[in-house]
Amino acid sequence: MLTIKVLGPGCANCKNVESVARKAIADLAVEAEVIKVTDYADIMAYKILSTPGLVINEKVVCAGRIPSQAEVTTWLANALG
């Protein structure tokens, strides 16, 4: 099972990243847990310069922008492979 973390305070961009990630999970029909990380200290532990951030299996794959669904699908497939 994949672990996906959305890093951010809960703003609209963070919600968009979560939505894109959930759509990609559904398209791939994989089992994944989506966790929202809103605590500033926890976010800073990933050493990203800006939010929103996306972490798949403890690897930061995107920060500071909203990735496309195709990008997220590719990252998920790579994490599975």
Side-chain angles (χ1 to χ4, degrees):
M1 179 168 83
L2 296 172
T3 302
I4 298 161
K5 294 182 181 177
V6 178
L7 310 177
C11 62
N13 286 341
C14 300
K15 291 176 183 170
N16 285 340
V17 170
E18 180 185 0
S19 175
V20 168
R22 288 188 185 276
K23 286 177 188 169
I25 291 165
D27 284 352
L28 286 174
V30 295
E31 202 174 324
E33 177 184 19
V34 179
I35 301 167
K36 297 178 203 172
V37 179
T38 57
D39 183 70
Y40 184 74
D42 292 341
I43 293 169
M44 290 297 101
Y46 288 97
K47 296 181 170 49
I48 64 170
L49 297 177
S50 60
T51 59
L54 185 64
V55 178
I56 299 174
N57 288 347
E58 293 306 311
K59 179 183 176 194
V60 176
V61 293
C62 184
R65 66 183 181 90
I66 301 168
S68 70
Q69 187 172 336
E71 286 178 302
V72 177
T73 300
T74 300
W75 295 329
L76 292 172
N78 290 342
L80 288 169

